Amino acid sequence: MKGIHCIKKNKLKDSTIIVLDIRDYNETSKYPEDYTLNIPFAYLKRFYMEIPQGKIHVIAEDKLELNLGLRFLIKKGFSINSFELTKYPCTVNQKKRMLDHGV
């Protein structure tokens, strides 16, 4: 689980990475995007089978939502490439915003 980097989705270099937004629907409706898969954390258990296999970039609102979502996705066998938090934007120094523990 160590080594998942905080990266803004517009900085992703691999175009095959699936962007999964696990924020609530009322948060994602403010910034709709065509290429983002929106499945709020509360619905992950029911709809995780709709997520295609491959590397995933997860967008969450805060650390709690992110940690719970990543635990669930990893438990189901998904490969997490990176993450982004809307309340705490990624910093220039990626090492400070690397997810090393807690998940």
Side-chain angles (χ1 to χ4, degrees), residues 26-42:
N26 58 350
E27 289 296 320
T28 58
S29 65
K30 295 176 189 174
Y31 313 102
E33 304 219 10
D34 295 336
Y35 59 91
T36 302
L37 180 61
N38 294 320
I39 303 177
F41 173 72

Side-chain angles (χ1 to χ4, degrees), residues 4-12 18-23 31 33 35-36 56-67 70 80-91 94 97-99:
I4 298 175
H5 294 279
C6 180
I7 303 171
K8 288 198 149 289
K9 69 178 170 251
N10 57 359
K11 302 282 185 191
L12 291 173
I18 301 149
V19 179
L20 175 63
D21 195 336
I22 62 171
R23 296 177 291 165
Y31 313 102
E33 304 219 10
Y35 59 91
T36 302
I56 298 176
H57 174 79
V58 178
I59 301 173
E61 188 171 356
D62 56 23
K63 290 180 183 182
L64 177 64
E65 186 175 67
L66 177 71
N67 283 338
L70 290 182
I80 309 300
N81 181 66
S82 54
F83 71 93
E84 179 179 351
L85 296 171
T86 55
K87 280 190 176 179
Y88 310 101
C90 298
T91 60
Q94 292 297 325
R97 292 304 309 268
M98 207 161 133
L99 197 61

